[in-house]
Structure formats: C-alpha cells, structure tokens
Amino acid sequence: MILSRRKSEPLARDETASTASVGARKPRIMIAGEFSAGKTKLINGLIGHEVLPSNVTATSLPPIWLTSGQTGILSVGLNGEKAERSSLDDVDVEDTQFCVMALSAPILERFDIIDTPGNSDPNIDAESWERMLRYADLVVWCTNANQAWRQSEKSVWADMPSHLVGVGPLVITHADLLADEVTAERVVRRARREAGAYFASILMVSLLRDADIARVADALETLGGSIAESGEANLAVSRFAQAERAVSEDQTIHLGTIDAPPSPKVPKRVMSRRLESRDSAPDPLPEIQSEIQPEPQPLPEPEADAAFDPFEITSLDDEAPVTRPLYDIGAAPPPAEMPEQTGEAAQAAPISQDARVVNAVLEKLAVPSYVAQISGSSDDDLAKTKLLQPHKQPCRRAPGQSARDLWHDVIRGKDLNDADVVLACAEALIRQIDAEDDLVHNGSNAVDDYGEPLSLMQPSNHGGSHENRT
Amino acid sequence: MPNTDSKFSQYQEGFRELNAFWAKLDKLDADVEAFAETALSFVDEPLDRVREKIRAFEPSVSVIGQIKAGKSTLLNAIIGQPDLLPSDVNPWTSVITGLHLNNRFRPVNTRAVFRFFDRHEWDRLAATGGRLGEMAKRAGFDSEADAVRSQVDQMRQTTEERLGEEFEDLLGGSRTYPDLDKDVLDRYICYGDPDDIADGARDGIYADITKFADLYIDSDFLPKGLCLRDTPGVNDTFMMREQITLNAISDSRVCVVVLSAHQALSAMDLAILRIICSVDAREVLIFVNRIDQLAQPQVEVENIRKSVEKTLRRIGVGDGIEILFGSGYWANCALGDPGSMRQPSRDALAEFFGGDTDDPELLRQRAMEASGVFQLLRAIANRVVEGPGAAILNDLQKDLDTIIEMSETVESVAEQRMSAPPASEMTQMMLSLKIADVHDRVLKSFDERVAGVRAHLVERLDRAQDTFVESATEALQSHINAFSEAGTWTHDPTSLRMMMRTAYVSACGRLRREGESAFDTVLDGVQEILETDLGVYREGSSIEFPEQQQHKAPTILARTIALDLQGRWWRKFWRFGREHAAQKRYRATIVAETTPIIDGLMDDFFEPAVRNTRDIVEKFLIDQGAFCKAILESYETDATGKSDPDSMTKRLIA
C-alpha cells in the first residue's frame, strides 16, 4: 500500500514535470468549411500521407480528431460511449460525436488537427461539425475557389464564437482550376472584401501542389504559435493518448526492460514506440497536463504515508476537476513551476532503482517518470500502478483552492455579459460540486474510458463524461 | 468559322421536339386565320383571341442555382453564343435576364430592354431588406437582418452617388438598345468589381437598380418563342439578389436547376429544389455542370448521380427528376476556339475519351459531345412540349370547340330559317336585357359562393396555424421534460406546410368547381334564351367549357424554407432560453412566421385566382351573349352562308 502511494505521488510530479517541459496541450486546429471544399485533402497534405478518405460527393465521416501518438482509433459516441476501432470504415456518422485518431506525423507534434464533416451537407446535420467548435483554438476555413465564400459560409462565421474570429486563415482551395493568376487575384480580392474581417489571413492554394500545402503549414505555424488555447478540454482525447502511453501495457515493457519481470501480455512493439516518441515527440503526453490537471502545486499530501485506502484515494481524486482551473485558466503552464517540479521529480527519483538511467531518458523524452519510479515493483504493483494512473491528475484541492477556482474554470472562455450564459455556468458549477459528493459515496462501480471496471478511475472518468456532455 | 452549319444543325436537332411543336401551332394558327376569313363575324373576336394566344405563347425556362454554378455560361452554350452573357470568376449575374428567342413581338429596333426598380420597390427593399430580411429579423437573427438592411442601404447609396441625377430618372423606367452590345450588357446585368469601379470601370454601374433585362435573340438555329431566363445565384452573400431570384421562381413552369459538380446537391440546392417542387405542374431538370473540373469525369459522374438520387429519395424531394451532366465550359470552347481550353479541363476531356487529341476539329466534337448540352436541349424541349405545350394545346382546343359549336349552331339556325319562320318576336334590345340579366345573376351567385370558399379557407389556415403552434409547443415541452436544457431542438415545419397546402389546394378545387357551376348557370341561362326566345335547340353537353387556370400551390408555401434553413436559430434560441421564455418566444415566433404566409397566400394567390376565374366566367358570358345576338341577327338579316364551317371545323380539329 505504501508502495502504491509512493507511486502515485511521483506520478503527479512527473505529469507536472512534463507539463512544464513541454508547455500546455498543443494548439488545436480545426479544419472546416463547406463539404467538398478540400478539407480532407488539405489534412492529408499536412499529415504527409492519405490518412483520411476523401470523395467528390459528401463524405460521411464524423469529425476526426487527429492527435500525435501511437496509431489507433477511438470513437466517441453521442452517448459518450467509447470504442477502439481498427478503421474508420464502419463508423456511424449519426451516432458518433467524433473519432480520435492517433498517429505519428511531424505536424501533429505541433498541433492537434480536427477534421470536420462539411457544412451544407444535406445528409449531415450542421450540428455534427459545429459541436467541435468548442474544442478548437483556431479554425481553418476551406472554401472552393470556384464557388468561394457563399452566404451559407458567411452565416456560419457571423455566428462564430468571438475568440475564433480573426484568428485562423481562409484557405481558398482548387486554385489549379482557375484560369490564371489574374483570375485568382480577383477571387482573393473578393474574399478579402467580403470575408476579410473573419480571418487573420487568406491563402489561395492548389492542394495538388506540395509547395502550397507547405504554405498552409507555415501559416498555421505562424498563426498557431500565438493563439490562446481557448478550446475546451476533452478528457476522451487526452485519455486516449494516455492509454497509449501510460495505461496501455506497452508501458510495462519499459518497466520490464528496466528491471521488473516482463509481463506475458506485453506487446513487443513498445520499444519501437518509445523510439518513435523519441524521434518525434518532445512531449508524448501533451494533452494530459492541461486536461487531466495534475496538481501543479507542490503536493501538500498530508497523509502521504497513511495506509492505502481506495476510498480515500477516490475522494481525493474526486477533486481532480476542481484543480483543473489552475491549469486551464492560464492556457500556458506556469513557467515558474517548471524548475520546481523537475526538482521534485528528481528528488523522488532516488526512491526507485536505476533512477539515473531512467530519469536521463525521461528528461529527454519527457516520458512520465513514474514509469521509472515504479520500476522494481512486483507484478502486483504493476497492476496497482495501472489502477492508479488516473490519479496522476492528482487532484486534491490545494488549501487555498476553492469553489472559486472551480468557478474560474467553468467560466473560462464564456461570455459573462450574457445572463443566460452565466446561469448555465452556475448550473455547471453546481453540478460539478454535486458530482464530487456523489463520487465519494458511489465510487465503486465505475468503468473507465474503455469499459474496464476500474473503481479508482471513477472520479476522473466521471469528470470526463461530464465534460462530454456539456 | 468552319463547320458553322454542322455545329448549329445540332441545335436544331436538340430542339427538334420543340420545333415540331411550333410547326403544329403554326399550322393551327394558319387554319384559324383561314377559318376567320370565312367565319361569322360574331366569332371574330374569340378567334382573334385564339390567334393572339398562339402567337403570344412563349414558354419560359428558368435556370436557377447557387452562385458560380455556371448558369450564365450554360445559357450561352444553350443558345450557341459563348460571349453573350457576361460571367466572371466571382458572382457576376445580378439581374434576371430573359433571353427571348425568335420572339415575334420584339419591339421595333430593339434587342435589349432594361427595366428598373421603381421607387416603391426600392423603398421596400431598403426598408425591409426583402423577405429574407424580414424572416431573419423574426427569427432572432437581428444581426443578419441588420446586415441585409445595411447591404440594401449601402447599395442604394453607392448607386445614387454613382449615378447622380440619372438615378432619379431611371427609377421605375426602362431603357432600350437596338443592339446587343457587350459593353451595354456589362453595365446593366453584372455585378462589376467594386475595385474596378473605383478605378472608373463601367461594369455593373446600373446593375443594382436594374430589375429585369430582356434580350432578343434571333437565329435560324434556335426555336421560336422560347424564353430562357438567367437568374442571380442564390446563396449569395448579397442576400437581396437571392431574394429576387426566389421571388421569380414562380414565373417559369420549366426550371433547370444547375448544380456545380464539385459540390453537387448541397443543403442550399435542396432548398431551391424544395421551393420549386412545391409548385404543382412543374417541369424540373437537374443539370450538374462543370464536370470538366472533375479529375475523372466519367467515374465521378456516376458516383455523383447515385449520391444525388439517394439524397433526393431520402429527403423525398423531386421524385424522379431527370439528372443530366455536362459542362457549359466545354460547349463554349467547342463553339469558340477549342484550342483555348484550360489545361485541367482539357485533361478531364482527355480522361473522358481515353486520350488527348491535337486535331482541333476532333477536339471540338469531343468537347461538344461531352458538354451534355444537346441532351439538355432535348430535355428542355421535351419538358416544354409536355408541360406548357400540352397545356396550351388543350386550352386552344377548348376555345376552338366552343367557337365551332357556336358557329355551327348559328349556321344551322340560319338554314332552318329558310324553311321555318322565326319563333319569336325578340328584339336586340330585349335580348341584351335578358343577357345582362343572366350576366348579373351568374356573377352575383359566383361572388357569393366564392365568399364561402374564402371564409372556409381562412378558417382552415387559421386552424392549421393553431394546430402547428400547439403541437410544436407541446413537443418543445416534452423535450424540455426529457432532456432539460441539454441537446438541440428542432421541429419539422412540414406538417404545417402540408396542412396549409392541403387547405389551399382544396380551396382551389372548390373555386374551380364554382367556376364550372357558373359556366353551367351561364349555359342554362343561354339555353333558356335560345329555347324560349329564339326557338333554337342545342345539345348542351356539346358545349366545351373554357379552360380554367390550374391553380398550383404557390411558392409562398415553400417559404417555410426559413424554418428549414434556420435550424441554427432554433438551437441557438433554445440553448440560451429558459423554459417559459422559450415557450413564449417559440409560440410568438411561429405565429409571426406563419401569419404573413397566410396573408400572402390569401392576397397574392387566392384572390388573383378568384379574379382569374371570374374573368373567365365573364368572358364566357360575353361570348355566349354574342352568340345569342348572332343568332338573332341571323333571323333579322339574310346573313351568312358565306363559309363552309364543316370543312373548316374538320381542318381545325385535325
């Protein structure tokens, strides 16, 4: 039990440490526009290969959230139900909120990209893409040069949340179909005249030309570098990433290779996966920090040595959502905490064996060092580690932290001049507080994001589905 | 230009059905003319009306679609004049432009007429931003309504500034030009580029104030008496133009809906189709244009066809509409210089035929073939003949039958008179009084009965509105109960539309029956005069009633497009509304949305339909009165005998 507890502590610190080293979650770029405007083609171009199918007729895919990670697909249903999938083929647009698609691509090291079904598609409700707006930090709007900027597009932008207006680029696609430069210039001029107010820049591109795709990527680099992370947190996505890296058995191989006996279930590919992250990712867990809210403050864990008590942990975990504001409010992680956290992680390291080696690697890769810290533990402990992972968003409210902090979290990005919005926020606050109480009392029959019964995960799971609902 | 004849003979071939139809009408016209020469004088006027009808017959085909779907380009291809209607890479057509082909009523020395908005229309546009603006306002999109209004205000201001004193002169007037001059067209019917205008360009300087343009095109290759109408694209950010097009949809019975291949059938296209198909007796075609911009036209065309058909089936709109594919651009290249074809289009054409060609003539042929324009001509011709063509033939037939019947009766009375003396001592004065009596009686009774129909319709419409408001608020309430404030909310306005439509159609049916019963009364009255006063017996059942207009369910019923398109609004309003406020606002909104539809239905459709029927009844009365007088005249004078009605009749009927 003590061991478990020890493990849980470093977990939190490591999270924080990696948060600090990498920054907050990556900016999220949503690619939207009328259907058949070249969104999917653009994304495939940005990714570097054909990850998504595209079609001249309306494409019937739900929104796809592309995030860096080990290849995998998770679908999130309208009812919040999640399922891992092997392909996008059998995904039902009607019932699916969106799919998370993890893969490795250079651009995903910088951004998450959200593909959306086209606007004006008579077979897909606009709601199906509009609901992704709340997660977006920046919207790239694709419009076809041949039929650029129509009222159905303008009316979308007239209603766009204000923090997304004037931030992203208007990408006019299919320049290759225009007669010449003069023609293209006329289209751009009109777009500037009629749509200029909604965008930070206007790009005329041919998706057939790599150079043009690179221009879009450059523009995103420029625009995306300075944007506020205004999009809402989404636990499903961050957990999917987390599952890949932490919950997935892959991680155990690290342990095994370091010193624990390898679990028989361990897939072999883990090493390569690790290599992969070394190649590409400075931060394999970008989402986790901002969304799962590791406690950024030094853990004032009063009963660090107390006997392990699932209920107690559960209750601590309940507070996870409460701590979120500290991270989310400030879009970027507080840099001041960075050294502090790292220091703590380093301090904690000696607890485990082989810490030097592992920490060295971890510092470089920003892999959560709990992996190292629990090394040397038994299989039994490993199992516990898995159970405890959710706690890495550890949680407990700092003494100074209060309902007020929670309130700040709730109102983030909301327009408080609108009385109705304020009411809705109050509602949300009350629900969250109620939810904590509920959890304290019914913490035992929870199911994790993948349907596994994991009572210890329940609190954060609860937070997650809550997130999805609002 | 090489091969001009073969190039254009294809046009004649494409319009063959229509040309054949015109040949038939022309023959009828000639026969009627010949008949009129020998006919009794009392039928002169009805016969003139028939000939007038034939010559004035100008079926109209509207080409409708979103901005930049290629409507103007396609129309240029259809008439074989690639450079006639201006087009541009940006939305360009801003005026409804009627292309009158071989029109027999073309004013002397006139090829182009531009009509301008009058002050009243202009003020109304500026005040309300058009109907769409009104709707937007009611729906709570205050910002959008403001946008429309400011668009119109701004447009008015810039036009006024630009035109100076000319502005006042133009309002409500028109201008005519003896030639179709490109510069002239550019000034009136296209947007113009604001940047260019700032630089002193004249393109589009009158566009904002121009309401209609009529262009007259004469060519041996084109059918006579066809009007093709180009319209400003819908889904324009300049919403007033879209409004003009929506208002004009009812003007043509045949509609070609043009889609752009890269985004065939968007929600906007469906909305257009809904509006068009909500009108009965509509002949609709879908032309998927710009297939030259598909990488693999042939493969993709099939996919698009399947997808479009599937969507139409699913939505239940335009069942069995013919869908054609092609490219106005290819056709225009073929008509002009095929070598100037842009590379991607040329590649697509090569893809279409499995290889490129350097032979300009072969390229021309291929471009024309792949353009699909001739299939479109044929389809248009068929639709015109089947729709408005069949209708006018039917109409003419009835008119002629009645005229012939009257002539024959008079003839036979005159013949009988040779053997028997007149049966009465009727004078023209007495007859006129009697006829006037029938006239008054018929119209009075018609008016009374129509008042009943009207009251019933109003009641049904009100009830439909109440029912819809009830069911919608109830559904809203249960949604609130079930989901609290979560989720989104929509309520399908179809039921309302159906109820209103049913009420309207049934009222029109009753109106039609009232018309028929008025005809009956006319006949009874005339029969009585004939029998008792003139001593003439005629077979009542042989009389053809005049054709009443088909009163179709009007476009206005599709105006609920506002509800269809504004799902965003329902949600928005709902999301932030609280339960009671929402209910109240919801109810008020529905009422505000539907009341003008009801008012418009009554004022703009039912009342004109009533007037129309009344006019027909009255004309019938006059004709029958003239007929009676003619009989009396035949008693009084030696009259007639100059014609051979039997042979004429046979010829006409044939």
Side-chain angles (χ1 to χ4, degrees):
Chain A
M1 285 303 162
I2 289 171
L3 185 55
S4 299
R5 172 50 54 103
R6 266 197 202 129
K7 274 179 282 182
S8 74
E9 268 175 40
L11 285 187
R13 292 174 188 172
D14 290 337
E15 281 311 316
T16 320
S18 68
T19 302
S21 64
V22 178
R25 64 164 174 80
K26 291 174 200 162
R28 299 197 199 115
I29 292 179
M30 173 164 157
I31 315 281
E34 297 266 309
F35 76 93
S36 300
K39 296 180 296 295
T40 308
K41 221 174 189 174
L42 174 63
I43 289 174
N44 286 340
L46 290 172
I47 297 287
H49 60 272
E50 195 148 317
V51 286
L52 300 173
S54 71
N55 203 322
V56 70
T57 52
T59 331
S60 52
L61 277 182
I64 311 282
W65 187 318
L66 296 159
T67 189
S68 182
Q70 182 179 350
T71 309
I73 298 171
L74 177 77
S75 66
V76 181
L78 284 181
N79 54 6
E81 202 171 285
K82 297 164 195 72
E84 290 198 55
R85 295 174 175 273
S86 55
S87 85
L88 292 170
D89 293 345
D90 51 349
V91 174
D92 188 297
V93 202
E94 308 257 310
D95 303 340
T96 309
Q97 256 188 67
F98 60 90
C99 286
V100 187
M101 194 176 189
L103 71 152
S104 166
I107 187 140
L108 294 181
E109 304 307 333
R110 284 287 294 125
F111 310 106
D112 276 13
I113 295 181
I114 303 175
D115 178 37
T116 58
N119 189 40
S120 295
D121 184 333
N123 297 308
I124 300 182
D125 193 340
E127 164 76 5
S128 74
W129 73 266
E130 286 173 359
R131 65 168 164 252
M132 299 309 286
L133 278 173
R134 60 204 174 110
Y135 300 120
D137 299 327
L138 178 151
V139 176
V140 174
W141 189 261
C142 293
T143 192
N144 191 313
N146 274 328
Q147 250 183 335
W149 197 247
R150 287 170 280 175
Q151 181 60 28
S152 49
E153 303 171 69
K154 188 176 168 184
S155 64
V156 165
W157 279 89
D159 252 13
M160 196 61 92
S162 58
H163 65 272
L164 293 171
V165 172
V167 174
L170 174 66
V171 175
I172 307 177
T173 60
H174 297 97
D176 44 293
L177 295 178
L178 295 177
D180 50 41
E181 294 281 314
V182 179
T183 315
E185 178 52 32
R186 290 174 65 86
V187 173
V188 172
R189 253 161 52 191
R190 171 173 173 271
R192 199 176 296 134
R193 223 165 32 229
E194 300 206 356
Y198 299 115
F199 300 98
S201 63
I202 295 177
L203 296 166
M204 167 71 77
V205 304
S206 160
L207 297 175
L208 303 177
R209 289 196 285 262
D210 290 345
D212 282 9
I213 303 233
R215 272 171 54 223
V216 177
D218 287 349
L220 294 182
E221 191 66 38
T222 313
L223 299 171
S226 56
I227 50 170
E229 285 174 4
S230 46
E232 273 176 39
N234 185 291
L235 288 179
V237 176
S238 52
R239 287 222 184 130
F240 189 55
Q242 176 188 356
E244 288 287 314
R245 292 165 194 274
V247 175
S248 94
E249 289 145 354
D250 299 359
Q251 298 295 342
T252 62
I253 226 178
H254 299 304
L255 308 175
T257 52
I258 291 167
D259 62 8
S263 151
K265 293 188 288 179
V266 169
K268 293 238 165 62
R269 58 197 165 120
V270 173
M271 274 324 277
S272 68
R273 150 161 209 11
R274 228 183 131 183
L275 288 171
E276 208 175 291
S277 50
R278 186 190 299 146
D279 290 343
S280 49
D283 170 27
L285 287 171
E287 291 284 336
I288 292 173
Q289 294 84 38
S290 59
E291 314 219 327
I292 311 208
Q293 314 92 28
E295 173 56 72
Q297 306 187 357
L299 299 172
E301 174 57 72
E303 294 164 35
D305 290 326
F308 178 71
D309 173 347
F311 268 89
E312 190 185 329
I313 289 186
T314 300
S315 68
L316 287 172
D317 215 14
D318 288 346
E319 297 177 36
V322 181
T323 62
R324 185 173 58 215
L326 289 183
Y327 270 98
D328 285 349
I329 289 170
E337 285 173 349
M338 211 199 287
E340 189 186 336
Q341 306 290 343
T342 316
E344 276 197 320
Q347 263 185 349
I351 297 169
S352 62
Q353 301 157 13
D354 274 329
R356 279 165 305 153
V357 177
V358 174
N359 275 342
V361 173
L362 289 172
E363 269 176 40
K364 210 164 188 174
L365 299 183
V367 165
S369 54
Y370 66 84
V371 166
Q373 276 128 21
I374 59 173
S375 64
S377 53
S378 66
D379 281 342
D380 182 39
D381 285 326
L382 277 176
K384 286 246 170 59
T385 306
K386 281 168 77 180
L387 290 179
L388 288 170
Q389 263 142 22
H391 292 282
K392 73 177 76 128
Q393 49 264 36
C395 27
R396 34 241 104 173
R397 248 186 238 166
Q401 205 173 359
S402 61
R404 179 165 297 281
D405 299 305
L406 183 53
W407 173 248
H408 281 303
D409 176 39
V410 166
I411 63 173
R412 187 172 46 86
K414 303 285 195 319
D415 175 12
L416 293 185
N417 292 322
D418 186 331
D420 288 327
V421 173
V422 176
L423 280 174
C425 289
E427 192 77 21
L429 177 74
I430 292 167
R431 262 204 312 264
Q432 289 209 19
I433 292 172
D434 283 352
E436 287 177 37
D437 291 347
D438 285 352
L439 286 167
V440 174
H441 301 299
N442 328 293
S444 56
N445 54 356
V447 168
D448 81 351
D449 280 332
Y450 308 106
E452 280 176 64
L454 273 179
S455 64
L456 293 181
M457 292 184 72
Q458 209 249 359
S460 45
N461 184 48
H462 181 93
S465 43
H466 181 58
E467 194 80 39
N468 292 337
R469 261 204 310 276
T470 45
Chain B
M1 196 166 285
N3 296 304
T4 300
D5 285 356
S6 75
K7 200 159 74 185
F8 284 109
S9 66
Q10 284 178 286
Y11 276 86
Q12 285 171 315
E13 175 59 26
F15 281 121
R16 193 179 57 190
E17 292 289 318
L18 190 55
N19 289 329
F21 178 80
W22 269 112
K24 205 163 151 189
L25 273 192
D26 286 345
K27 184 171 174 304
L28 186 61
D29 188 27
D31 289 347
V32 171
E33 189 182 12
F35 179 67
E37 273 169 22
T38 59
L40 295 171
S41 59
F42 86 96
V43 290
D44 282 354
E45 207 189 303
L47 282 176
D48 278 350
R49 280 209 302 267
V50 168
R51 295 195 61 201
E52 179 71 24
K53 248 187 209 171
I54 294 176
R55 275 168 298 168
F57 178 58
E58 192 191 38
S60 143
V61 178
S62 284
V63 177
I64 294 170
Q66 292 194 53
I67 48 166
K68 301 314 304 159
K71 296 176 290 300
S72 300
T73 307
L74 182 64
L75 271 169
N76 286 341
I78 289 175
I79 59 168
Q81 300 192 17
D83 300 320
L84 183 74
L85 294 173
S87 70
D88 187 81
V89 68
N90 286 325
W92 208 240
T93 305
S94 63
V95 172
I96 292 181
T97 306
L99 304 176
H100 302 272
L101 310 185
N102 298 316
N103 184 294
R104 282 180 279 187
F105 292 100
R106 175 168 70 86
V108 184
N109 270 338
T110 301
R111 288 275 171 214
V113 181
F114 304 97
R115 286 171 229 283
F116 305 108
F117 285 108
D118 67 23
R119 180 166 292 286
H120 171 73
E121 292 160 322
W122 191 280
D123 283 345
R124 191 178 160 273
L125 285 172
T128 67
R131 233 160 50 183
L132 202 69
E134 291 174 17
M135 282 188 267
K137 191 172 170 189
R138 235 172 289 123
F141 275 131
D142 289 342
S143 59
E144 191 173 312
D146 290 345
V148 177
R149 214 172 298 120
S150 79
Q151 277 178 358
V152 174
D153 284 347
Q154 199 189 344
M155 175 188 81
R156 180 185 183 138
Q157 202 183 335
T158 49
T159 308
E160 236 175 313
E161 276 168 17
R162 201 188 294 154
L163 299 178
E165 286 175 9
E166 207 182 5
F167 180 77
E168 292 294 327
D169 296 343
L170 291 177
L171 278 181
S174 68
R175 276 189 182 169
T176 58
Y177 290 83
D179 296 300
L180 287 180
D181 182 80
K182 185 179 172 349
D183 289 344
V184 170
L185 291 187
D186 284 347
R187 260 178 270 159
Y188 289 91
I189 67 175
C190 66
Y191 265 96
D193 188 320
D195 295 339
D196 292 347
I197 285 178
D199 295 343
R202 307 267 295 159
D203 285 1
I205 55 165
Y206 299 118
D208 289 336
I209 196 177
T210 307
K211 190 179 171 196
F212 289 119
D214 289 298
L215 310 181
Y216 295 90
I217 294 148
D218 292 348
S219 157
D220 293 343
F221 305 108
L222 298 172
K224 62 179 158 190
L226 182 65
C227 174
L228 302 167
R229 289 148 58 93
D230 191 17
T231 61
V234 302
N235 205 5
D236 192 335
T237 51
F238 193 29
M239 286 175 274
M240 195 198 89
R241 293 292 170 205
E242 164 177 292
Q243 209 48 49
I244 290 172
T245 297
L246 291 181
N247 284 335
I249 279 182
S250 15
D251 298 350
S252 294
R253 188 158 160 186
V254 181
C255 289
V256 178
V257 175
V258 181
L259 312 181
S260 180
H262 84 270
Q263 196 198 35
L265 207 65
S266 78
M268 280 307 300
D269 298 320
L270 261 186
I272 302 171
L273 277 170
R274 271 201 184 126
I275 291 190
I276 293 176
C277 295
S278 70
V279 179
D280 281 343
R282 257 297 157 73
E283 307 284 336
V284 186
L285 288 168
I286 291 178
F287 188 81
V288 180
N289 197 17
R290 310 188 84 158
I291 64 166
D292 63 290
Q293 297 189 330
L294 300 174
Q296 298 177 297
Q298 260 168 337
V299 183
E300 287 168 86
V301 157
E302 277 320 301
N303 292 338
I304 294 172
R305 182 192 298 282
K306 277 186 207 129
S307 139
V308 168
E309 283 172 350
K310 193 170 149 202
T311 306
L312 290 179
R313 247 195 329 271
R314 192 177 68 77
I315 311 275
V317 168
D319 196 23
I321 290 181
E322 186 176 0
I323 305 171
L324 300 163
F325 289 82
S327 156
Y329 176 75
W330 272 340
N332 286 327
C333 286
L335 292 164
D337 172 18
S340 68
M341 196 184 296
R342 293 195 294 265
Q343 200 55 45
S345 296
R346 186 157 175 174
D347 293 344
L349 191 63
E351 182 73 31
F352 202 93
F353 286 95
D356 201 356
T357 174
D358 288 332
D359 177 359
E361 192 45 42
L362 184 60
L363 189 62
R364 182 194 301 283
Q365 283 171 17
R366 286 179 167 187
M368 208 66 216
E369 189 190 329
S371 76
V373 164
F374 293 121
Q375 284 92 320
L376 180 60
L377 296 188
R378 272 194 289 279
I380 289 175
N382 285 335
R383 289 297 178 285
V384 168
V385 172
E386 286 166 14
I392 193 178
L393 272 188
N394 188 25
D395 195 5
L396 292 171
Q397 189 69 54
K398 287 191 172 176
D399 287 352
L400 288 172
D401 285 350
T402 303
I403 291 170
I404 289 163
E405 189 275 338
M406 291 193 297
S407 301
E408 283 176 340
T409 308
V410 174
E411 298 279 345
S412 73
V413 165
E415 272 167 31
Q416 282 165 19
R417 187 193 167 246
M418 304 303 170
S419 51
S424 85
E425 293 307 315
M426 200 71 177
T427 65
Q428 284 287 353
M429 176 64 86
M430 285 165 68
L431 182 64
S432 294
L433 285 173
K434 285 216 166 206
I435 291 169
D437 180 51
V438 174
H439 185 277
D440 292 348
R441 197 150 38 88
V442 169
L443 288 183
K444 184 160 172 278
S445 137
F446 176 79
D447 289 345
E448 281 169 9
R449 302 179 71 134
V450 165
V453 176
R454 181 183 296 119
H456 186 69
L457 173 61
V458 169
E459 192 210 314
R460 278 188 71 175
L461 290 175
D462 286 348
R463 211 166 54 221
Q465 186 180 25
D466 288 348
T467 312
F468 180 72
V469 171
E470 281 316 312
S471 75
T473 32
E474 251 173 52
L476 178 70
Q477 184 59 56
S478 64
H479 184 84
I480 292 171
N481 295 344
F483 301 104
S484 183
E485 91 261 23
T488 58
W489 164 252
T490 54
H491 192 73
D492 189 1
T494 311
S495 66
L496 175 66
R497 193 162 43 200
M498 291 313 295
M499 283 188 285
M500 296 178 64
R501 194 186 148 100
T502 315
Y504 180 77
V505 169
S506 117
C508 286
R510 288 184 61 184
L511 175 63
R512 199 179 166 81
R513 285 195 294 281
E514 293 306 339
E516 273 163 16
S517 110
F519 295 149
D520 269 334
T521 323
V522 175
L523 278 188
D524 287 350
V526 170
Q527 205 80 342
E528 199 192 321
I529 294 171
L530 288 175
E531 287 179 18
T532 59
D533 300 326
L534 298 174
V536 174
Y537 295 89
R538 73 168 171 182
E539 194 65 44
S541 62
S542 70
I543 316 289
E544 286 283 351
F545 288 160
E547 182 67 5
Q548 292 191 55
Q549 208 182 19
Q550 292 284 345
H551 299 301
K552 33 202 184 180
T555 316
I556 195 171
L557 283 185
R559 188 174 159 183
T560 36
I561 186 182
L563 305 185
D564 293 343
L565 286 184
Q566 294 181 354
R568 296 162 52 70
W569 159 70
W570 296 106
R571 290 204 304 276
K572 184 175 178 177
F573 140 89
W574 166 215
R575 212 175 268 157
F576 298 116
R578 269 327 204 225
E579 210 171 290
H580 290 294
Q583 282 248 17
K584 222 166 135 187
R585 269 182 72 183
Y586 188 53
R587 179 181 289 270
T589 311
I590 300 172
V591 171
E593 186 70 31
T594 49
T595 302
I597 299 181
I598 292 177
D599 293 348
L601 197 60
M602 295 307 294
D603 297 345
D604 300 339
F605 293 90
F606 187 72
E607 297 308 337
V610 168
R611 278 197 296 278
N612 183 280
T613 304
R614 199 177 190 278
D615 283 351
I616 293 172
V617 169
E618 206 164 359
K619 270 197 192 110
F620 187 61
L621 272 166
I622 290 167
D623 285 355
Q624 292 294 322
F627 162 65
C628 292
K629 286 175 187 168
I631 290 180
L632 187 59
E633 242 167 65
S634 78
Y635 289 141
E636 287 169 356
T637 67
D638 267 339
T640 74
K642 63 181 179 180
S643 71
D644 179 5
D646 284 349
S647 67
M648 276 303 158
T649 307
K650 276 175 196 135
R651 275 172 59 194
L652 279 175
I653 288 169

